Amino acid sequence: MLGLYVSGHPLNGIEHVLAAQSDTAIPTILEGAIKDGTQVTVGGILASVNRRINKNGLAWASAQLEDLTGGIEVLFFPQAFSVYGMDVAEDTVVLVKARVSIRDDRVSLIANDLVVPDLSAIGVAKPVAVTLATRSCTPDKVRALEQVLTRHPGTSDVHVRLVGGGGPRLYKVDDRLRVEPSSALMGDLKALLGPTCLA
């Protein structure tokens, strides 16, 4: 249903910025070409962020870091999370410095540094991220969402995260529906999709 106007990947157009500041691609790590314990810098967009509390009462998080070629689990243990936790959020474009961890064929990254790159220099505004339950994604709802976006034209991309039914999937709305991220737009989106759609 979203195929009407959803296309591409949220990183399209900024992948060169991330590549210039990264030293390792995600598939290279997943394929086992990087040794356990190696320090790498990887760029991408955070998805499926899960915040947790350990047995000592300290906050930490796990997240899926995705680029145009794949995704890998990144663990933000309490020491790193206490410093960078504010930026560990879904749909945030980041550069992560981390240590490769290989345990029983499970490959992940242990983060020790996180940077949110400045994308303003290339004219890329922060996208407006909307969460929508897959079961609620009806043709009528999609048309209504398109009408809301049309009423608030601007330069910011819109990302739609579908949740439920096989895990979250992230889509970038067609460029013709870029918006101005105003309070009026946020109000219209919450009225249409519910108060938690922008959380």
Side-chain angles (χ1 to χ4, degrees):
M1 295 173 187
L2 285 167
L4 283 172
Y5 61 93
V6 171
S7 62
H9 189 282
L11 296 179
N12 283 338
I14 61 172
E15 64 271 23
H16 62 286
V17 178
L18 297 179
Q21 299 179 60
S22 304
D23 59 24
T24 309
I26 290 175
T28 306
I29 302 170
L30 295 176
E31 290 162 6
I34 308 297
K35 292 181 180 179
D36 181 44
T38 303
Q39 294 287 334
V40 296
T41 301
V42 182
I45 187 167
L46 291 176
S48 306
V49 175
N50 292 309
R51 293 174 181 79
R52 305 175 185 178
I53 302 294
N54 69 11
K55 60 184 178 182
N56 296 321
L58 300 174
W60 66 286
S62 64
Q64 187 78 358
L65 180 68
E66 300 177 353
D67 65 10
L68 292 174
T69 57
I72 190 170
E73 182 183 43
V74 182
L75 302 175
F76 296 88
F77 288 138
Q79 185 174 356
F81 190 78
S82 66
V83 179
Y84 306 109
M86 289 292 291
D87 292 320
V88 180
E90 292 184 357
D91 303 326
T92 302
V93 176
V94 297
L95 289 158
V96 177
K97 292 183 181 178
R99 174 173 55 84
V100 175
S101 173
I102 303 174
R103 297 289 181 272
D104 300 324
D105 296 328
R106 181 180 178 181
V107 182
S108 58
L109 297 175
I110 311 298
N112 50 49
D113 190 15
L114 179 147
V115 174
V116 177
D118 180 11
L119 303 176
S120 60
I122 57 172
V124 179
K126 184 177 180 180
V128 173
V130 178
T131 299
L132 179 64
T134 303
R135 65 178 183 277
S136 301
C137 187
T138 63
D140 286 345
K141 187 76 75 175
V142 171
R143 280 192 292 270
L145 175 59
E146 185 173 2
Q147 290 170 359
V148 168
L149 299 179
T150 302
R151 290 199 298 269
H152 301 276
T155 58
S156 293
D157 286 337
V158 178
H159 296 173
V160 176
R161 178 177 296 279
L162 288 182
V163 294
R169 297 183 302 281
L170 187 64
Y171 298 91
K172 175 178 176 292
V173 174
D174 191 277
D175 289 347
R176 67 186 176 84
L177 292 174
R178 284 179 172 155
V179 295
E180 177 64 35
S182 62
S183 57
L185 169 64
M186 304 309 168
D188 285 354
L189 288 172
K190 289 180 179 180
L192 174 65
L193 304 176
T196 63
C197 71
L198 300 172

